[in-house]
Amino acid sequence: MSTVALPEPSIQDRVHYLNVSYGVKSWLLTTDHKRIALLYLTTITFMFLIGGTFATLMRIHLLTPEGTLVQPETYNKLFSMHGIIMVFFFLIPSIPTVLGNFLVPIMVGAKDVAFPRLNLMSWYIFVVACLFELYVVVTGGVDTGWTFYPPYSSIYANTHVLAAALGIFIAGFSSILTGLNFIVTIHKMRAPGLTWYRLPLFLWSLYATSLIQVLGTPVLAITMVLLAMERVLGIGIFDPAIGGDPLLFQHLFWFYSHPAVYIMILPSMGVISELVTCFSKKRIFGYKVVAFSSLAIAILSFLVWGHHMFVSGQSVYAGLIFSVLSFMVAIPSAVKVFNWTATMYKGSISYNAPMLYAIGFIGLFTMGGLTGLFLASLATDVHLSGTYFIVAHFHYIMVGGAVMGYLGGIHFWWPKISGRLYPDGWARFAALIVFLGFNLTFFPQYMLGYLGMPRRYAMYSAEFQVLNVMSTAGASILAVGYLIPLVYLIWSMRYGPPAGPNPWGAKGLEWETASPPPTENFEETPVVKQEAYPYATETSVTGR
């Protein structure tokens, strides 16, 4: 007797996390990790637009050697607020809070994170921190740079240093709570059969990131408190004029802020592992090596902060040790790149938009990593420190790496998040625009730095104008490349065709549930019976 398969209910007819309840209150009081991820997505997108606006204004100002758009004092505030907002309010929280919050429980087969109310509280804490930074923006800004170096920031600056530092201090609590939630969820809430060596590599990277968040963020918080004490109470902690040591601030700040680089880049590396294996239709090459390289990066990241201080006056012996350790931390990153490349080798590659972002990530991150070796070398760092070479290197890692990974992840999991497909042609076009605009913006800055143009200056010598014009033109293209996805992703929420549970033919528990997922993620607890990424077979990942 033949049976007729009934069609799946439409997105509108099926109850899922987006339509289970309506109203502002249902969102602001939700403990559903998926809704909290969307709250974070809205918040950090808003902060990204503000930080990006400041960057665009900076590049327009630098079209001419004399800088005709703003006064030098305003330019100092622009680059300071751009750095503070982009680092602490976009790059650090972006993938963990959005993709991590949405995916971690689903990837481990759980109904939610370990502490749902703490998860919601972390968003409210983050919003409060954002409000402090927005207060600083609308009341005149801060001009200390995103690094807050004393004694200028603690004694002499007349801008809103305390409010900016307090915003970062508060945001740290959000980061710690998110990291704790992920560590406990991954440890204690995995589905039956989901052993450590069956975990998606995205979870390995988030686990390593969470360790850095929990262990490193308190150091930054303490540093901000000490800065405030010196500024308000006049206690000599960092200012040598009153008995302090300015190098102490640099040690404390970079002890957190270099691991923070890996808070930004490690989650992107996890995303790229997912994209490469999916769109190559091959199991990741060297799964365990890639997994443990994430932990190696997390551990080594705490040992290399001193390479930011080669020209600070620290001892030559300390500089030598930090130089060697800085070369060592490049090894696990290089391992990942080699393994991604080996995974793609002879794979059945599909050039969908997420894969284009992944390929762009590999190229740009490799360029950023290789130029980092110049800065790990004592001799070349003396010449390049404080120049635009540093700016280019940092942005090749953070924007070419972290942001490309974030956009790749958003495009990959957007059908799961929204239940809708976006226009793939526009998505590929945007990926190309972002890649071209990024390189036109930042590659000339390598040459500017090599030629000796200092960073953070509102004016420059006339011989540098051609490269600066190229950089500004690239920034304009890059801005367009970032705005295009914002438009079509919002459009797809209403008008995109239904995605189905697994539009990419990917492997993993998140693709075994409906799109958008139901409130409790799975109708019944999944049981994992296969290794991670079983692309050689076509059987289900779960035993349901």
Side-chain angles (χ1 to χ4, degrees), residues 477-495:
I477 297 170
L478 187 60
V480 173
Y482 287 147
L483 288 174
I484 293 173
L486 182 64
V487 173
Y488 64 68
L489 290 178
I490 294 175
W491 174 89
S492 72
M493 288 287 287
R494 178 175 290 271
Y495 301 107

Side-chain angles (χ1 to χ4, degrees), residues 142-314:
V142 65
D143 64 351
T144 60
W146 73 276
T147 52
F148 292 96
Y149 275 6
Y152 181 69
S153 62
S154 63
I155 301 294
Y156 303 106
N158 295 318
T159 51
H160 299 283
V161 178
L162 281 179
L166 185 58
I168 294 170
F169 175 80
I170 294 170
F173 287 94
S174 172
S175 186
I176 292 169
L177 291 178
T178 300
L180 279 172
N181 236 333
F182 289 169
I183 290 171
V184 177
T185 303
I186 294 170
H187 261 282
K188 307 298 289 186
M189 301 180 69
R190 300 194 306 276
L194 187 60
T195 62
W196 281 98
Y197 293 140
R198 290 178 176 176
L199 281 179
L201 289 167
F202 180 64
L203 293 187
W204 276 98
S205 71
L206 277 184
Y207 185 80
T209 302
S210 299
L211 292 175
I212 302 175
Q213 288 176 297
V214 172
L215 297 175
T217 307
V219 178
L220 178 70
I222 292 166
T223 308
M224 293 295 108
V225 169
L226 293 175
L227 183 72
M229 289 174 61
E230 180 163 288
R231 187 170 175 87
V232 175
L233 304 176
I235 299 172
I237 301 171
F238 304 124
D239 182 9
I242 51 177
D245 182 0
L247 283 189
L248 174 61
F249 179 89
Q250 292 192 38
H251 279 293
L252 290 171
F253 182 85
W254 289 114
F255 182 80
Y256 164 78
S257 294
H258 193 82
V261 170
Y262 297 102
I263 295 177
M264 302 178 230
I265 199 67
L266 265 173
S268 282
M269 290 175 164
V271 169
I272 300 308
S273 295
E274 301 294 323
L275 301 185
V276 166
T277 186
C278 173
F279 292 100
S280 299
K281 291 296 181 282
K282 283 176 61 182
R283 189 172 192 266
I284 199 83
F285 181 85
Y287 169 90
K288 291 183 180 179
V289 176
V290 177
F292 282 109
S293 67
S294 294
L295 296 178
I297 289 172
I299 295 167
L300 289 171
S301 70
F302 282 104
L303 306 177
V304 297
W305 77 91
H307 72 221
H308 294 272
M309 302 170 60
F310 283 160
V311 295
S312 68
Q314 71 177 1

